[in-house]
Amino acid sequence: MGGDSLFFDYQCDLSKKHEDDIVLSIDWNPREAKSPNLVVATSDNCLSLFHEEGLRVEKQIPPRDDPPTYVAWGPEPHHLLATGWHDGAVSLWDEKTSKLREDKSVHKTSVTLLKWSPCGTRLISTDKDGVVGVWKPVDGRLVMKCKIPPQKTKGAVTHVVFRTNDPRPKVKADGEDMPYFYFAGEDGVVYMGCDDKNHVTEVMKMDSSDGGFSGTMVLMYYHEVDQVVGINEQFVMYRASGPNENGTSNVMPHMKLAARQGDSDRMMQALWVNSGLLLTSSHESLLRFWKLASDENFILRIEDEQVPPDDRIQAVAYSEHNRLLCAGTSKGYILFWRQTSVQAGETSAEDWQPLLHATTKLKHPIDDLRWAKGHGLLAAQTEMSCSILIEHDLHRKIRDGCALVQLSNMYLGFANIVRKRDERGACEPEIEPPHVREFWTGSLAGELTEIKSSMPIKGCDCNASLIVMWSGRKAEVHQIDLDTGAHSLLSTFKTNASNIVVSSDPGEAAYLYMAVEGKIEVANLQGNVTRSLALGEMEGSAHLLDIHGSYLVSTSTNGIIRQIGRASCRER
């Protein structure tokens, strides 16, 4: 059961105080064990939390009397949300305690950036005047470890990256390794700092062609070779290693990039795709890839004909989990490519397959794209809204004469189909009637009867008289008549089941078999659970379910297949 893969758009209900309030910053809670939450910062002084389908989380963050400027979730396991504010405050919200604490001792102007260290022991904050703050989270609050004053030229610090492969001996602070970081901004000078403001070191200058200042557009850390990589406003790439134990840095020859700035008001974006493969986007109709180890490069162009020729890419994101690259455009399109080969240093444009069927169109220009770590969830920020895109396989199934197909995230269609079977009773594609073959290839002769759900559909099942659908939080059961196309809602109930099958026994009451984390629940059509079958600790969580005759078959997240007699399942 399955079909085409599409991205469904779930718009977050921002409930803005004023129609012209705008979205300022977004970020995902980086928890991989369960569904993450998205935080959205808006100009009406609010921080809002959303589930994956754009639904508001019951637990919300209290607002301040000032607009937020930047949000950043800390790494697992602490789930701390840092927020920078227009008045210079830096706050910390603890998801576990719901307490919000702030500090205004470091910044007197608007906070421009927040960056957590990979292990979560430090938070770096920057502002428009060039002040850099180094913080340590302690018991749900931020303790200021160091305030680094503006360097030679006063200007905003716009980029921070941590030096995660420093070959020098570790330096301890409060019994922990003290993380070093690079920072740069409008003056184009790259510095390295730590907890001690007296240890700020100039690493390299990214000068303009006339020897003056050229602002920083990109600052990245090349972990495998311990190098900092910078690109200035004149599209010159600089690289340096160090400083070493003697405090000196090795600045390599710089390189003029074959790129152009399509919009001077927008910052170039960059991200690592694989080791040593840097992607950049500078408001063009293409993406540029740079192989730093070999000094080679290649490009990806927009191939979707529905995208206007004058459209430009202005946001990019890459999901290592799904090997999906996405790009958002100035006209509201979101395009996708899947990486088909992951051989370090050998990738080329041929290794990126455009997913033309997955192109999504939003109403406004795309300002930012963020993948949820370890999940197939993509947040798309525009000035006026925020949407969550989820990749779905459109489900397609034939059972007991009912052909069931998912049409969108909210609609199913069904029709009456009779399949032809061989002498063994098996359905073979070679002997199927033409209309059945058309159904499996994505079309169906005759019209489908449509059913609209009250929830986003993540899965569905059917028999000759019933259709069940579920969202991961709720399920619906609909009664159908295949001859007339009549249908009616029979029941709706709450359940976090990830998979449901409905029994098909002539003359007997139908039951629902539901995969709910580490167990299989058996319920009647109203969702009342009559029995629960626990899976063993080694099996993990229930994953897929299917029914054949008197048996139920289940698979688990740890790859265990179980066959269970359904008669024993229904007994109390």
Side-chain angles (χ1 to χ4, degrees):
M1 179 175 176
D4 295 332
S5 175
L6 295 177
F7 282 85
F8 293 160
D9 167 24
Y10 301 92
Q11 187 163 331
C12 298
D13 179 17
L14 297 177
S15 300
K16 295 186 290 187
K17 296 177 182 178
H18 307 97
E19 189 175 341
D20 58 351
D21 284 326
I22 62 174
V23 179
L24 299 171
S25 182
I26 62 173
D27 198 23
W28 286 102
N29 186 337
R31 55 188 185 189
E32 298 188 55
K34 57 180 181 177
S35 296
N37 291 332
L38 177 72
V39 62
V40 180
T42 48
S43 60
D44 55 359
N45 308 341
C46 289
L47 300 174
S48 304
L49 295 174
F50 295 93
H51 291 301
E52 57 187 67
E53 284 118 14
L55 303 174
R56 278 184 172 268
V57 177
E58 292 183 9
K59 183 188 297 184
Q60 289 292 324
I61 305 169
R64 292 179 77 250
D65 294 328
D66 196 65
T69 56
Y70 203 94
V71 289
W73 282 103
E76 290 190 290
H78 304 295
H79 306 302
L80 300 173
L81 173 64
T83 305
W85 301 85
H86 186 266
D87 62 2
V90 179
S91 67
L92 195 67
W93 183 73
D94 191 330
E95 184 183 31
K96 296 179 180 178
T97 64
S98 298
K99 290 184 178 179
L100 180 69
R101 297 175 178 176
E102 65 177 64
D103 191 303
K104 297 178 68 175
S105 63
V106 173
H107 303 291
K108 305 306 177 186
T109 58
S110 181
V111 175
T112 55
L113 180 67
L114 296 170
K115 188 81 171 183
W116 287 93
S117 64
C119 58
T121 59
R122 293 294 185 274
L123 173 72
I124 310 301
S125 60
T126 68
D127 67 24
K128 286 187 174 181
D129 284 346
V131 175
V132 177
V134 183
W135 309 84
K136 178 181 178 179
V138 178
D139 297 330
R141 61 188 177 89
L142 289 171
V143 176
M144 194 265 286
K145 300 296 296 179
C146 172
K147 177 180 177 179
I148 301 175
Q151 299 304 301
K152 297 177 183 178
T153 58
K154 194 173 183 179
V157 174
T158 55
H159 294 77
V160 172
V161 291
F162 280 88
R163 189 181 186 185
T164 53
N165 192 21
D166 192 342
R168 302 173 302 172
K170 303 295 183 184
V171 178
K172 296 288 184 179
D174 299 332
E176 303 169 327
D177 290 340
M178 185 167 59
Y180 283 81
F181 58 91
Y182 299 98
F183 63 95
E186 294 176 339
D187 63 357
V189 182
V190 179
Y191 302 93
M192 192 177 74
C194 60
D195 283 11
D196 188 342
K197 66 179 181 181
N198 295 319
H199 285 177
V200 175
T201 305
E202 183 179 304
V203 178
M204 64 180 179
K205 291 181 179 179
M206 299 188 291
D207 294 333
S208 65
S209 55
D210 59 3
F213 295 122
S214 181
T216 306
M217 288 204 301
V218 169
L219 189 70
M220 306 290 285
Y221 180 68
Y222 190 174
H223 174 88
E224 288 75 10
V225 296
D226 183 37
Q227 289 180 5
V228 61
V229 181
I231 302 174
N232 67 10
E233 291 175 340
Q234 295 190 337
F235 295 96
V236 179
M237 179 185 289
Y238 289 79
R239 295 164 64 179
S241 59
N244 58 23
E245 293 184 47
N246 298 323
T248 59
S249 301
N250 178 27
V251 180
M252 302 170 187
H254 53 269
M255 176 178 64
K256 176 68 175 179
L257 301 182
R260 66 180 183 85
Q261 183 70 21
D263 185 347
S264 59
D265 293 331
R266 300 197 66 86
M267 186 76 68
M268 173 188 272
Q269 291 196 326
L271 55 86
W272 293 113
V273 177
N274 300 129
S275 173
L277 181 62
L278 183 68
L279 178 151
T280 62
S281 171
S282 53
H283 205 74
E284 299 177 274
S285 59
L286 51 83
L287 299 172
R288 299 181 184 272
F289 293 76
W290 311 92
K291 301 180 184 179
L292 299 190
S294 60
D295 288 334
E296 298 176 323
N297 64 83
F298 63 91
I299 62 174
L300 284 182
R301 297 185 182 275
I302 297 176
E303 297 185 22
D304 197 327
E305 294 182 353
Q306 66 179 305
V307 180
D310 62 342
D311 205 356
R312 296 293 181 262
I313 295 171
Q314 58 185 35
V316 290
Y318 177 70
S319 169
E320 185 177 1
H321 177 73
N322 292 328
R323 292 194 295 177
L324 277 176
L325 171 66
C326 61
T329 74
S330 58
K331 295 186 183 295
Y333 288 93
I334 302 177
L335 304 114
F336 297 88
W337 293 263
R338 191 179 300 279
Q339 188 178 16
T340 58
S341 175
V342 202
Q343 296 182 1
E346 299 181 12
T347 186
S348 65
E350 287 71 33
D351 297 323
W352 295 89
Q353 175 190 0
L355 305 181
L356 302 183
H357 64 276
T359 298
T360 303
K361 176 71 168 69
L362 301 186
K363 293 181 180 179
H364 303 285
I366 310 300
D367 291 332
D368 194 12
L369 294 169
R370 298 286 182 100
W371 286 103
K373 183 180 178 182
H375 298 270
L377 306 174
L378 176 66
Q381 174 190 336
T382 74
E383 186 177 57
M384 304 307 297
S385 65
C386 184
S387 294
I388 297 174
L389 277 66
I390 305 178
E391 186 178 14
H392 283 282
D393 288 327
L394 294 182
H395 297 281
R396 192 184 304 275
K397 185 171 189 176
I398 300 178
R399 184 178 172 206
D400 296 343
C402 177
L404 182 65
V405 58
Q406 186 176 359
L407 304 173
S408 71
N409 61 333
M410 302 291 284
Y411 281 89
L412 293 175
F414 72 92
N416 192 351
I417 278 186
V418 178
R419 306 190 70 178
K420 192 171 182 179
R421 300 177 183 272
D422 61 17
E423 63 276 4
R424 299 169 299 153
C427 297
E428 294 290 345
E430 295 78 11
I431 63 173
E432 293 276 26
H435 65 284
V436 176
R437 292 199 296 269
E438 290 173 2
F439 173 79
W440 289 121
T441 57
S443 59
L444 179 63
E447 295 185 359
L448 292 167
T449 300
E450 294 186 4
I451 299 178
K452 183 180 180 181
S453 172
S454 64
M455 62 193 180
I457 302 168
K458 283 192 174 178
C460 53
D461 192 39
C462 64
N463 62 23
S465 60
L466 296 168
I467 290 176
V468 59
M469 58 190 83
W470 61 92
S471 70
R473 291 189 176 85
K474 191 170 73 169
E476 291 181 5
V477 181
H478 293 254
Q479 197 157 23
I480 61 171
D481 188 317
L482 290 175
D483 294 325
T484 66
H487 59 88
S488 60
L489 178 64
L490 187 64
S491 67
T492 178
F493 54 91
K494 291 182 178 181
T495 176
N496 60 348
S498 59
N499 201 287
I500 302 177
V501 291
V502 57
S503 64
S504 178
D505 302 309
E508 294 187 16
Y511 285 86
L512 302 175
Y513 298 83
M514 307 187 294
V516 182
E517 297 180 348
K519 58 189 175 181
I520 299 172
E521 293 182 343
V522 186
N524 60 22
L525 297 181
Q526 284 68 44
N528 299 316
V529 177
T530 61
R531 185 164 185 186
S532 180
L533 305 176
L535 273 64
E537 186 177 343
M538 298 294 293
E539 294 181 81
S541 297
H543 183 44
L544 300 177
L545 300 175
D546 197 12
I547 287 175
H548 183 74
S550 59
Y551 289 98
L552 169 73
V553 177
S554 72
T555 68
S556 71
T557 51
N558 290 343
I560 306 298
I561 301 175
R562 291 184 64 180
Q563 179 176 294
I564 308 165
R566 291 199 295 116
S568 61
C569 290
R570 296 198 298 266
E571 297 171 2
R572 285 187 174 275

